[in-house]
Amino acid sequence: MKLYFVLVFGLVLPLIRAQVPHWGPCPEPGVQPAFSLKQFMGRWFEIAKLPAQFEKGRCIETNFTLRTDNSIRVASSEILKGEVRKIEGTGVIEDMKNPAKLGITYSYVLPYSPYWIVSTDYVNFALVYSCTDVLRLFHVDFAWILGRNRSLPDATIEKARDTFATNNIDVTRMIPSRQQGCVKTL
Ligand SMILES: *[C@@H]1O[C@H](CO)[C@@H](O)[C@H](O)[C@H]1NC(C)=O
Ligand SMILES: *[C@@H]1O[C@H](CO)[C@@H](O)[C@H](O)[C@H]1NC(C)=O
């Protein structure tokens, strides 16, 4: 069912054209032990991402807040062609035994996409991974380095890339996100 939706909505094929698909099923990275959803809430800036999307917006940030029903309000914004664009989604912990494995959706007609917190110290950085298997033949994945600040020290970014790599996540094509001239957001 999940795959059906993804294919019907045409999300997969454009992505495959935009990046080299990885053969085989998704890697299974470790995730942040003893993950605290509460500490993760709040504002995060996108520092770097995979795949490279040069045409996309800049100043991308997301504000996570807990709703009273324990779901997560996911409010993202970016500046695209000089305009602030906002999108709101919903996040959930999909498996209470694995609280660092969140699912996020931006539309009630779409299934939750994985949003796994691979590692975070809550106050500086967070490493997020999302991967979807396609027929177990190959997988399409996304990875983000998030920061509480609009920039992170180079050493933190290097360490983040290493962490992804040791979890079998290929981040050679990861590119920095533009976070300059962002006064217009929020
Ligand atoms: C994040 O969202 C909450 C709830 O809507 C709001 O109170 C808070 O001001 C927001 N923070 C930022 C930085 O936008
Ligand atoms: C955030 O960045 C600003 C300027 O880029 C810097 O002055 C500040 O120390 C940073 N804060 C943290 C917590 O790293």
Side-chain angles (χ1 to χ4, degrees):
M1 202 59 182
K2 196 165 181 173
L3 178 67
Y4 168 78
F5 271 114
V6 171
L7 291 175
V8 163
F9 283 86
L11 293 175
V12 168
L13 291 177
L15 292 172
I16 291 164
R17 279 198 293 271
Q19 66 174 152
V20 181
H22 304 284
W23 297 106
C26 286
E28 304 226 350
V31 291
Q32 176 61 43
F35 177 69
S36 163
L37 184 61
K38 213 171 172 180
Q39 284 181 267
F40 181 76
M41 295 296 95
R43 194 180 192 188
W44 288 101
F45 300 102
E46 186 186 276
I47 303 298
K49 74 165 145 220
L50 176 78
Q53 288 170 301
F54 294 99
E55 303 302 317
K56 286 295 167 91
R58 58 195 180 85
C59 305
I60 296 174
E61 63 177 75
T62 298
N63 182 11
F64 297 90
T65 38
L66 274 178
R67 294 201 187 101
T68 48
D69 67 355
N70 280 329
S71 71
I72 305 159
R73 174 177 174 266
V74 183
S76 299
S77 67
E78 64 173 4
I79 297 179
L80 186 64
K81 295 176 185 144
E83 278 176 32
V84 179
R85 297 190 176 204
K86 296 184 181 183
I87 182 171
E88 194 172 314
T90 293
V92 289
I93 293 177
E94 295 206 284
D95 173 5
M96 278 303 175
K97 290 193 207 91
N98 262 319
K101 293 187 174 180
L102 307 181
I104 288 185
T105 182
Y106 285 99
S107 163
Y108 69 93
V109 297
L110 290 173
Y112 287 96
S113 297
Y115 195 87
W116 293 3
I117 316 302
V118 172
S119 177
T120 183
D121 67 355
Y122 306 102
V123 292
N124 294 295
F125 74 92
L127 313 187
V128 181
Y129 186 61
S130 179
C131 186
T132 304
D133 274 320
V134 181
L135 306 171
R136 306 289 294 168
L137 284 177
F138 59 94
H139 60 273
V140 179
D141 62 358
F142 299 87
W144 298 267
I145 300 173
L146 305 180
R148 288 295 192 188
N149 232 353
R150 285 194 197 274
S151 71
L152 284 176
D154 288 347
T156 307
I157 294 172
E158 270 316 299
K159 193 154 178 271
R161 296 176 73 106
D162 283 353
T163 303
F164 279 125
T166 54
N167 279 286
N168 297 317
I169 298 165
D170 179 6
V171 287
T172 47
R173 293 161 63 87
M174 185 173 251
I175 56 154
S177 305
R178 292 173 57 205
Q179 291 286 357
Q180 290 89 30
C182 296
V183 282
K184 274 174 85 177
T185 49
L186 297 171

